[in-house]
Amino acid sequence: FRIYGYVPGEIEPDYKKSISHVHPEDLSVVKKTVEEVIAVNDSYKSEFRIIDKSGKVKYLRAEVIVKYSSNLKPVRINGFNLDITSEREKV
């Protein structure tokens, strides 16, 4: 929540809300990566930018694992985001 500029409980975490914050220049790559991961039953690690609720650009490192049903349909995306803005700004 906090990385995206929200307080816990302010929004319900979901893919659509998360993806809506991805920086426009990174959006197509992030969407394509998620689609590919779902298609091949895999996980991924990635770095991309978001624009938080207040309009601030942040750099994230994400790791995602897709959970599947017994008939191999994707049912949930689990993962985490780490704010690496200060690390990226030093470079």
Side-chain angles (χ1 to χ4, degrees):
F1 295 103
R2 288 183 185 94
I3 289 174
Y4 289 86
Y6 298 95
V7 295
E10 183 177 352
I11 60 167
E12 191 68 32
D14 65 15
Y15 174 75
K16 287 181 182 180
K17 185 52 117 175
S18 295
I19 206 79
S20 73
H21 283 280
V22 174
H23 193 285
E25 293 176 10
D26 298 345
L27 186 58
S28 64
V29 172
V30 170
K31 283 184 172 181
K32 182 179 177 186
T33 302
V34 170
E35 289 169 6
E36 288 173 356
V37 166
I38 290 171
V40 298
N41 191 8
D42 203 359
S43 63
Y44 80 92
K45 295 178 184 176
S46 144
E47 291 185 6
F48 55 91
R49 294 167 293 172
I50 64 160
I51 301 171
D52 75 6
K53 181 181 170 184
S54 71
K56 181 179 178 186
V57 174
K58 295 180 179 178
Y59 289 85
L60 299 186
R61 181 173 296 132
E63 186 167 339
V64 171
I65 299 171
V66 181
K67 300 291 184 178
Y68 297 85
S69 65
S70 59
N71 60 351
L72 299 179
K73 296 216 182 249
V75 293
R76 185 174 180 87
I77 298 175
N78 292 328
F80 68 89
N81 292 316
L82 178 64
D83 184 347
I84 59 166
T85 304
S86 60
E87 177 182 317
R88 291 294 298 263
E89 289 176 345
K90 290 178 186 176
V91 175

